[in-house]
Amino acid sequence: MFPTSKIKLIAYLGIALSAISLFVHLFIANSSAGGPYKVHVDDLYPVQKIWHRRLWGPVSSLETLHPIANATPRKKHPAPSGDNGFIYAKIYGDFEKIQSSISDLVAVSKLLNATLVIPEIQSSLRSKGISTKFKSFSYIYDEDSFISALSKDVVIAKTLPNNLKEARKKTKFPTFSTKGSESLNFYLGRVLPKLKESKAIGLIVSQGGCLQPILPPTMIEYQRLRCRVAFHALQFRSEVRALGKRIVGRLRAFGRPYLAYHPGLVRETLAYHGCAENFQDVHTELIQYLRKEMIKKGIIKEELSVDSFSRKRNGSCPLFPEEVGLTLRAMGYPLDTLIYVAGSETFGGQRILIPLRALYPNLLDRTSLSTDQERQAVVGPELPLPSDIPYPPPAKSPDELLEEWKRAGPRPRPLPPPPARPFYPHEKQGWYGWIAESETEPTPSLTDLRLTAHRLLWDAVDYYVSVEADAFFPGFTNGAGHQVDFAGLVMGHRLYQTPSVFTYRPDRKTLAELFGNITDNLYHPPRNWTFLLRSHLNKSLSTDGLITEAQISKSRSFLSHPLPECSCTTPNPNLAQYKGLEECPDWMVRGLALVSTRSKSQSEDEDADLLEDDLELDPEPDKSDSNRGADQDEEMDPDD
């Protein structure tokens, strides 16, 4: 019966509204991407059909940048002849040093009008038992593609002529050990006369390059030649490219973008910058041992023990995975974001990635996206290595034991010691076998040398996947450091090939200050803190980030920041402050206009499904709020 009393009617309405409010709140909490209500670590999260444009781009202010290094004709330079002689080189170092060194070697050969012999990669030559199908340079790259792509620039030979091979074996040719930033005067004044005299010289490249990063403006073609080498001519061999494409395809199959993340936690980097105290136990000893060796060799001009925490606050140490995870959460990336972890070495192993995996369960790498058979196809057929594990002596026969008993001397005597326990493989491989027993690092075993060669292949695969990613976040870039690094090369390649995709360029010092302000409340930071973090990272994506990066990185590595020589721009007021950047030629502008007209209609249809707010920052907070300290700000909603 319908209630006639007004009091009962009001009571029924209140109960109904309360029930509706409760259901709405439960629905919001259950469907929220920021809450911990649906965490299943073993399973991938369901696909989000709609994502924020501000999380994946494109960066509108950089859409007018276009690669030009391989598009412009070679002007003002005669056809290559290589008349002055041959240059052969040995390259030491890991993947990023090899990539950078080859680009410099081609530019030096062009400068000296010499024939470049395919460089020898020592990390693969020193390894024993790797696949005989590939030799040195071809272990990573496609030789034929390399030679044909540079045929208009440099004469390249696969080997020295037979008459010069014998002279090289007898060390009759001069050899130069180059620095990472040799000047033009070194090559024109010292190397060129020797080259003309002996018709062949050798170069030893070990610091990730052999030519100064910035050349005079009159030599812009040599800078573009470096870009052609690194971004066009250096193609990975077919097996490496096939695995990279397969991994990218499997990431795309989830139906949403993916972010590539390189931790930058490399033992050599940590030792150089003095970040040992940020780790614990035996890891600190390993970093300090390598730092001591660098001091002995003159690479480091500092004390062995430094304050690692002050280095961390100064931005000299890599971001830890937990900090990266909290940064991505503050930026608004949902829990189901696909994150690809790149890099063949992460110091500390999987243990150090646990906090990031707790924040983002969809943490993937090449081992989780490919099978053992697919990775073995990249490695190729290999010979078995002899075991370097010591075996116990063979058991003695009863007659030998009896004879030993008779020769043992007077009785009674103490009981013999118990038999030694067996050695396990993990105790004699890597640092496990020596850090607690010896003060010096042992000579690398055959297994270690082979694994070093394998890391070149895995870095090449990860490089390919990182360049194709929808967003890239570096845990560390050397910047003003001593050598080029993996993340720097990836960022340079993305800036050259697709500048408008999301490539974060964080200032670690700024992030360290931000994290230092909320050490007691990391997982529920104030709103003002979140705004400051988003503002900094959004600026790093655009022109402001490019200018800052040019001031820091380009003086050390040209390929980490190949602007302005290797790219051009269509009219764009945002790039007017970037000095030296040329406008694209008319024929390129007409072609780009035709392509943009075709794609405009498609992008308009896609924009209807995207949420608002392109790359715009959050609205500027009230002045009264911005003047308050971080501790006085209102706490951030976990779902914000």
Side-chain angles (χ1 to χ4, degrees):
M1 182 178 181
F2 189 81
T4 57
S5 173
K6 292 184 179 180
I7 297 176
K8 290 184 178 180
L9 178 61
I10 294 173
Y12 284 139
L13 288 175
I15 294 173
L17 291 175
S18 299
I20 294 173
S21 176
L22 178 62
F23 282 120
V24 169
H25 279 80
L26 289 175
F27 175 78
I28 293 175
N30 189 49
S31 61
S32 173
Y37 306 104
K38 293 185 178 180
V39 177
H40 302 289
V41 177
D42 297 329
D43 299 325
L44 288 177
Y45 277 71
V47 175
Q48 276 192 336
K49 295 183 179 180
I50 300 178
W51 51 79
H52 291 277
R53 179 184 289 274
R54 66 180 178 84
L55 296 178
W56 301 107
V59 182
S60 57
S61 62
L62 301 182
E63 286 184 321
T64 59
L65 283 174
H66 303 283
I68 199 173
N70 204 41
T72 56
R74 282 66 158 168
K75 297 179 180 179
K76 302 179 182 178
H77 289 280
S81 61
D83 292 339
N84 287 336
F86 292 84
I87 294 178
Y88 58 90
K90 294 182 178 181
I91 301 178
Y92 292 87
D94 42 23
F95 172 79
E96 50 267 23
K97 293 180 184 176
I98 294 169
Q99 189 93 350
S100 178
S101 298
I102 294 174
S103 302
D104 285 357
L105 283 171
V106 173
V108 168
S109 300
K110 177 73 173 179
L111 178 68
L112 302 181
N113 191 22
T115 298
L116 176 65
V117 180
I118 293 289
E120 300 171 0
I121 299 174
Q122 299 303 301
S123 297
S124 60
L125 285 178
R126 294 177 62 197
S127 301
K128 306 297 181 183
I130 64 173
S131 178
T132 57
K133 184 179 178 181
F134 315 108
K135 295 181 181 179
S136 186
F137 186 89
S138 63
Y139 191 68
I140 310 176
Y141 304 106
D142 186 338
E143 281 189 0
D144 295 330
S145 174
F146 179 71
I147 294 173
S148 62
L150 299 173
S151 59
K152 296 181 180 180
D153 300 291
V154 182
V155 179
I156 301 177
K158 291 189 176 182
T159 59
L160 283 171
N162 293 331
N163 60 329
L164 298 180
K165 285 182 181 179
E166 295 298 326
R168 180 187 175 183
K169 292 180 181 179
K170 298 177 182 179
T171 63
K172 292 185 177 181
F173 299 132
T175 302
F176 297 89
S177 295
T178 63
K179 297 180 181 179
S181 57
E182 291 288 5
S183 65
L184 297 175
N185 295 333
F186 170 79
Y187 290 103
L188 296 176
R190 293 185 55 188
V191 178
L192 183 57
K194 294 288 185 181
L195 175 63
K196 291 181 177 179
E197 179 183 348
S198 59
K199 289 301 179 184
I201 62 163
L203 297 178
I204 298 177
V205 187
S206 59
Q207 297 184 13
C210 58
L211 186 63
Q212 62 190 66
I214 303 177
L215 297 177
T218 56
M219 305 187 71
I220 188 173
E221 283 299 326
Y222 289 89
Q223 296 285 64
R224 289 180 177 172
L225 177 58
R226 282 168 158 175
C227 288
R228 274 199 294 277
V229 176
F231 306 142
H232 297 281
L234 277 180
Q235 299 291 329
F236 300 127
R237 59 179 167 91
S238 58
E239 294 85 356
V240 176
R241 293 199 309 270
L243 181 58
K245 290 179 181 178
R246 194 172 292 117
I247 291 176
V248 172
R250 288 168 183 170
L251 286 166
R252 301 286 187 208
F254 291 114
R256 56 185 184 271
Y258 74 93
L259 179 144
Y261 160 60
H262 184 259
L265 295 169
V266 182
R267 183 185 171 200
E268 182 180 359
T269 300
L270 297 169
Y272 181 85
H273 292 281
C275 306
E277 295 176 358
N278 295 322
F279 290 81
Q280 296 177 352
D281 305 329
V282 71
H283 296 90
T284 299
E285 298 180 35
L286 286 167
I287 296 172
Q288 287 296 83
Y289 174 83
L290 184 56
R291 182 174 175 82
K292 182 171 63 175
E293 294 299 313
M294 288 182 172
I295 293 174
K296 289 180 181 179
K297 296 177 181 178
I299 300 175
I300 300 177
K301 309 288 186 183
E302 299 176 338
E303 297 293 331
L304 176 62
S305 297
V306 295
D307 186 356
S308 300
F309 300 102
S310 64
R311 296 291 177 94
K312 177 77 173 177
R313 290 191 297 270
N314 193 38
S316 298
C317 296
L319 296 172
F320 280 101
E322 181 184 18
E323 296 172 330
V324 173
L326 293 172
T327 300
L328 296 178
R329 288 296 302 273
M331 289 296 295
Y333 284 94
L335 259 146
D336 65 342
T337 301
L338 296 174
I339 300 180
Y340 182 86
V341 181
S344 62
E345 177 188 355
T346 299
F347 189 77
Q350 291 295 319
R351 184 183 71 174
I352 203 169
L353 295 174
I354 289 176
L356 179 59
R357 193 179 296 276
L359 290 167
Y360 289 97
N362 295 343
L363 202 64
L364 307 169
D365 58 15
R366 63 182 174 278
T367 58
S368 58
L369 291 168
S370 61
T371 63
D372 294 339
Q373 293 78 8
E374 290 170 342
R375 294 192 296 274
Q376 187 60 40
V378 175
V379 171
E382 295 183 327
L383 299 175
L385 289 176
S387 177
D388 54 359
I389 303 173
Y391 290 95
K396 298 179 180 179
S397 65
D399 294 338
E400 292 174 336
L401 292 174
L402 180 60
E403 187 65 26
E404 184 179 350
W405 176 269
K406 293 178 180 180
R407 298 194 308 266
R411 282 108 171 140
R413 59 181 180 275
L415 294 174
R421 68 177 182 84
F423 289 101
Y424 298 99
H426 70 270
E427 295 179 309
K428 290 299 177 183
Q429 293 180 3
W431 53 268
Y432 297 94
W434 66 270
I435 189 64
E437 302 176 3
S438 174
E439 295 182 357
T440 59
E441 190 167 359
T443 304
S445 64
L446 299 179
T447 303
D448 294 333
L449 294 175
R450 177 179 284 188
L451 292 177
T452 300
H454 289 178
R455 289 193 193 101
L456 299 178
L457 301 177
W458 309 141
D459 277 334
V461 172
D462 288 349
Y463 184 87
Y464 183 94
V465 178
S466 299
V467 170
E468 297 296 326
D470 299 279
F472 179 75
F473 194 98
F476 181 81
T477 52
N478 271 336
H482 67 303
Q483 290 173 346
V484 64
D485 64 334
F486 183 93
L489 287 184
V490 171
M491 294 166 69
H493 198 149
R494 291 168 64 87
L495 176 60
Y496 171 79
Q497 179 176 293
T498 49
S500 62
V501 296
F502 264 41
T503 303
Y504 290 100
R505 304 172 183 90
D507 183 351
R508 293 186 303 279
K509 183 177 181 180
T510 301
L511 293 185
E513 292 176 355
L514 289 173
F515 279 109
N517 294 334
I518 57 164
T519 52
D520 297 330
N521 204 11
L522 281 176
Y523 286 82
H524 295 281
R527 290 182 180 273
N528 193 50
W529 182 91
T530 306
F531 167 77
L532 293 175
L533 181 68
R534 288 182 179 179
S535 175
H536 169 68
L537 289 180
N538 282 326
K539 286 182 180 178
S540 76
L541 293 168
S542 59
T543 311
D544 294 337
L546 288 185
I547 295 174
T548 303
E549 184 186 8
Q551 297 171 349
I552 298 175
S553 301
K554 188 163 183 176
S555 60
R556 303 297 303 174
S557 171
F558 170 71
L559 295 182
S560 297
H561 194 85
L563 291 184
E565 297 91 340
C566 297
S567 298
C568 65
T569 180
T570 54
N572 185 349
N574 294 321
L575 293 172
Q577 54 183 327
Y578 200 101
K579 298 180 180 179
L581 190 61
E582 298 180 359
E583 290 192 6
C584 295
D586 294 338
W587 61 267
M588 180 180 286
V589 173
R590 289 192 296 269
L592 293 172
L594 180 62
V595 172
S596 62
T597 302
R598 294 176 179 175
S599 60
K600 186 175 182 180
S601 58
Q602 299 177 359
S603 62
E604 289 177 352
D605 295 337
E606 294 174 357
D607 289 344
D609 297 331
L610 296 176
L611 297 178
E612 295 181 356
D613 191 9
D614 192 351
L615 250 179
E616 301 295 334
L617 301 177
D618 293 350
E620 185 176 357
D622 295 336
K623 293 183 179 179
S624 59
D625 292 340
S626 61
N627 291 331
R628 292 184 301 174
D631 296 335
Q632 300 175 350
D633 290 330
E634 180 184 359
E635 286 192 355
M636 182 186 72
D637 187 350
D639 297 335
D640 185 32

